[in-house]
Amino acid sequence: MPTPPPTGPLCTRDSLAEQLRALGVRRGDTLLAHTSLSSLGWVSGGAEAVVLALFDCLGDEGTLVVPAQSSDNSDPAEWENPPVPASWWDTIRATMPAYDPRTARTRGVGVVPETVRTWPGAVRSAHPQTSFAAVGPRAEALMDGHALDCRLGERSPLARLERAGARVLLLGAGFDSCTAFHLAEYRLPAPLVENSFAVMTDEGRRWTTVREPSLTDDRFEELGADYERDRPVARGAVGAATARLFPLAEAVAYAEGWLAEHRPRTAGIEAGEA
């Protein structure tokens, strides 16, 4: 059976850059981008063209940041997609490679973040599960100091991006992908959970467990819809995708109030955790 022709529109580096500028992406911006390549249409050059278009808009003065999560470095007892037999768990914990920011592949965030992670000059933060990667003059400062017991809180790049006046770009991605909302979660009561991963220490590879607030993107789409209703959010078409652009700090502040009212949680130890 013949392969059906690709679905358009045809997007190029130049057409994407033109539409991103029209949306409001500016030279010198610090930009946290969440992207869906498949939502854009047919992109000549694929993910590389998308990254180059973003760099064309930001210029040499701008810094591009993407989520570079590697969630497979985690306790196999918690894996659901797919689960693995309980008889394997101890072996996986003993043999999972220690997180190496140079080589650990991204998982679940799309091909554009993986392209940025491997870009010449890219800097990646130190968390083995919820790292970010950045390219640009502010990359080192933004990625520094990502604590092992702070996935997306005050000692993560999100807080540094907030202080830096960064903006969030949702390029074909929904508000359920907006990691900035998780920074608001850290500022509200939440259950504590144990989080485990393999890291490299001065003594060599170690399977390490930390305790920190639990995170969930439950109701983030509803939160985002209310934020977009109540606050200025630039919205426009980039290729076939809907794109949104807004200040990170403003989104976090709104999320703090919204989550406290609409999705309150109780501090303590989450059920099933020791």
Side-chain angles (χ1 to χ4, degrees):
M1 193 168 183
T3 302
T7 301
L10 170 61
C11 302
T12 67
R13 171 181 175 176
D14 289 344
S15 71
L16 293 171
E18 180 180 358
Q19 291 174 313
L20 287 164
R21 290 190 186 100
L23 183 70
V25 179
R26 302 182 299 246
R27 180 172 292 273
D29 270 348
T30 297
L31 192 69
L32 173 59
H34 298 276
T35 58
S36 168
L37 178 64
S38 62
S39 72
L40 295 172
W42 198 91
V43 180
S44 177
E48 181 180 358
V50 175
V51 174
L52 288 168
L54 287 164
F55 288 153
D56 288 342
C57 296
L58 297 173
D60 292 340
E61 314 96 301
T63 299
L64 176 63
V65 182
V66 295
Q69 297 169 8
S70 45
S71 56
D72 49 341
N73 187 349
S74 58
D75 193 335
E78 299 174 359
W79 294 356
E80 296 179 352
N81 190 28
V84 294
S87 61
W88 295 6
W89 294 352
D90 286 344
T91 300
I92 291 172
R93 292 173 185 136
T95 60
M96 176 71 66
Y99 172 68
D100 186 332
R102 300 167 300 176
T103 59
R105 292 181 61 83
T106 59
R107 183 174 187 269
V109 290
V111 66
V112 171
E114 180 66 9
T115 303
V116 174
R117 179 191 75 80
T118 59
W119 203 267
V123 181
R124 192 178 188 184
S125 69
H127 199 282
Q129 296 171 342
T130 56
S131 67
F132 293 80
V135 177
R138 308 180 86 170
E140 288 277 2
L142 291 169
M143 297 299 102
D144 186 43
H146 196 167
L148 293 181
D149 61 349
C150 188
R151 284 174 287 180
L152 297 169
E154 304 298 341
R155 291 172 294 145
S156 80
L158 282 179
R160 292 175 182 261
L161 286 162
E162 180 186 45
R163 293 192 294 270
R167 295 197 290 170
V168 176
L169 171 68
L170 300 180
L171 183 56
F175 280 105
D176 58 332
S177 299
C178 183
T179 54
F181 289 159
H182 288 298
L183 181 57
E185 284 191 290
Y186 271 82
R187 296 172 178 172
L188 297 168
L192 297 178
V193 295
E194 288 190 341
N195 189 30
S196 301
F197 36 73
V199 293
M200 187 62 68
T201 71
D202 292 341
E203 291 76 37
R205 178 203 175 277
R206 291 288 184 273
W207 184 255
T208 300
T209 299
V210 298
R211 179 168 284 176
E212 62 171 323
S214 67
L215 300 174
T216 174
D217 59 10
D218 181 44
R219 300 186 71 182
F220 273 14
E221 283 283 9
E222 185 181 350
L223 161 58
D226 285 356
Y227 171 65
E228 190 171 26
R229 179 197 65 204
D230 295 341
R231 299 288 188 272
V233 174
R235 178 172 173 163
V238 177
T242 298
R244 294 175 172 88
L245 182 69
F246 49 90
L248 186 147
E250 185 178 88
V252 172
Y254 185 92
E256 286 185 58
W258 193 97
L259 291 170
E261 178 179 357
H262 297 282
R263 204 200 69 183
R265 305 174 75 193
T266 303
I269 305 300
E270 192 163 86
E273 298 293 336

